[in-house]
Amino acid sequence: MDKKQKQEEIVNMFNDIASTYDLANRVLSMGIDIKWRKRACQKAYDILGLKDIEQITDVACGTGDLLLFWREFANKNSINVKNYVGVDPSVGMLEVAKKKVDFADFLEGKAQELPIKDESTEIISISYGIRNVVDRVEALYEFYRALKPGGIVVILEFTKQNRTSFIDKIVDFGMKNILPRVGGLISKNYAAYKYLPDSIEGFLTTKMLEDELKSVGFNMCHTQSFTMGISTLLIAQKPK
Ligand SMILES: C[S@@+](CC[C@H](N)C(=O)[O-])C[C@H]1O[C@@H](n2cnc3c(N)ncnc32)[C@H](O)[C@@H]1O
């Protein structure tokens, strides 16, 4: 299968699970992802110096969850954000997002071909999405192009871990055996939730992702792992 077909297959899978995505997400993460998302938003605003912002672009926005936290934390920090934009290639996910998030503009598009002007956004975020981008390095160059100088890319992702401790083995077991069954039950699509642990296994380690960001020209400013290394936050800055 070539890269284009693989990408299409991934997007079709998200179209298929769009209507049950939020429910499955909350059940499977037991709500812990909310904490990860909140930490990411606050840290990003701190790094930018709590200044007013022209645009935040959430790529692979899915059903729009992260945009809700971008706005909540902008309000908490009295930051004025002019435009919130969500980008995703899955029409099904965007339909759910549009009903849920009424303050953002949503655009159909891929991370590798962002429908965003050069140097037009201070923040590009991508939560649990970069793993699904087949031409990842191309996408990182796109993020660099669309960011204003000094702008930041904020990545939340399940990076590949070297799991060796007993607790790690339990987490691994849950991800590979329980998660696909529960996700499959909620979405009626077992394959989509089997894809999750498989795609993590085939993904980069945190260090490899940091190196890729640096190779594109970003400076790393923050890396933090959450909840026994299940989720990782990476924030990198385009030079000023
Ligand atoms: C696991 S969901 C994450 C959604 C959302 N960001 C969240 O945190 O819940 C992954 C999303 O990536 C999107 N996606 C898949 N391939 C993509 C690509 N090449 N560029 C941008 N988004 C992509 C899917 O359509 C899906 O909405």
Side-chain angles (χ1 to χ4, degrees):
M1 192 190 298
D2 68 15
K3 279 184 171 186
K4 195 164 172 255
Q5 280 173 313
K6 192 173 171 199
Q7 187 65 80
E8 265 173 31
E9 212 169 81
I10 292 172
V11 175
N12 287 340
M13 185 187 77
F14 281 104
N15 277 329
D16 200 58
I17 60 170
S19 63
T20 52
Y21 178 82
D22 280 347
L23 174 64
N25 216 13
R26 286 291 110 79
V27 171
L28 292 170
S29 78
M30 293 181 282
I32 303 173
D33 68 301
I34 293 174
K35 186 182 91 180
W36 304 336
R37 291 171 195 276
K38 287 182 172 181
R39 292 267 196 91
C41 294
Q42 184 59 53
K43 190 69 198 178
Y45 285 141
D46 287 343
I47 288 172
L48 285 181
L50 306 175
K51 290 184 301 219
D52 286 351
I53 288 174
E54 180 85 14
Q55 183 164 317
I56 296 179
T57 309
D58 188 36
V59 179
C61 66
T63 61
D65 262 17
L66 196 64
L67 287 162
L68 295 172
F69 294 104
W70 280 126
R71 190 175 66 160
E72 182 186 327
F73 278 75
N75 291 345
K76 272 196 180 143
N77 289 281
S78 305
I79 295 169
N80 182 35
V81 179
K82 206 163 156 203
N83 302 311
Y84 292 92
V85 177
V87 178
D88 200 287
S90 160
V91 176
M93 295 293 261
L94 288 178
E95 262 172 30
V96 180
K98 283 177 194 163
K99 286 187 196 135
K100 207 166 93 183
V101 183
D102 63 0
F103 56 87
D105 293 322
F106 289 99
L107 305 171
E108 191 184 330
K110 287 190 291 197
Q112 305 92 304
E113 293 160 30
L114 277 186
I116 302 289
K117 286 192 189 135
D118 292 357
E119 306 203 334
S120 60
T121 181
E122 283 93 337
I123 295 178
I124 288 188
S125 56
I126 181 159
S127 58
Y128 313 105
I130 195 77
R131 221 177 344 104
N132 304 302
V133 178
V134 174
D135 297 302
R136 188 182 49 252
V137 174
E138 229 174 278
L140 297 183
Y141 277 111
E142 269 295 85
F143 297 171
Y144 194 92
R145 176 191 65 74
L147 278 171
K148 293 185 185 209
I152 54 175
V153 54
V154 179
I155 302 176
L156 274 167
E157 194 46 272
F158 303 120
T159 53
K160 187 174 171 172
Q161 303 289 323
N162 195 8
R163 299 195 177 282
T164 49
S165 75
F166 180 63
I167 299 277
D168 287 342
K169 300 262 183 262
I170 295 175
V171 171
D172 226 28
F173 179 84
M175 297 279 270
K176 285 189 182 141
N177 297 284
I178 300 169
L179 187 145
R181 287 195 173 83
V182 178
L185 209 67
I186 296 173
S187 66
K188 312 265 180 293
N189 185 333
Y190 177 82
Y193 285 87
K194 175 79 177 64
Y195 163 80
L196 182 63
D198 290 350
S199 65
I200 297 170
E201 195 110 322
F203 192 57
L204 306 180
T205 62
T206 301
K207 166 82 173 57
M208 287 157 87
L209 187 51
E210 284 179 341
D211 288 346
E212 258 187 25
L213 284 159
K214 286 187 217 161
S215 75
V216 168
F218 287 104
N219 297 320
M220 283 310 304
C221 26
H222 185 76
T223 304
Q224 185 175 8
S225 77
F226 302 119
T227 323
M228 295 174 290
I230 293 176
S231 174
T232 301
L233 166 66
L234 296 102
I235 304 182
Q237 189 163 37
K238 176 171 171 174
K240 286 184 183 153

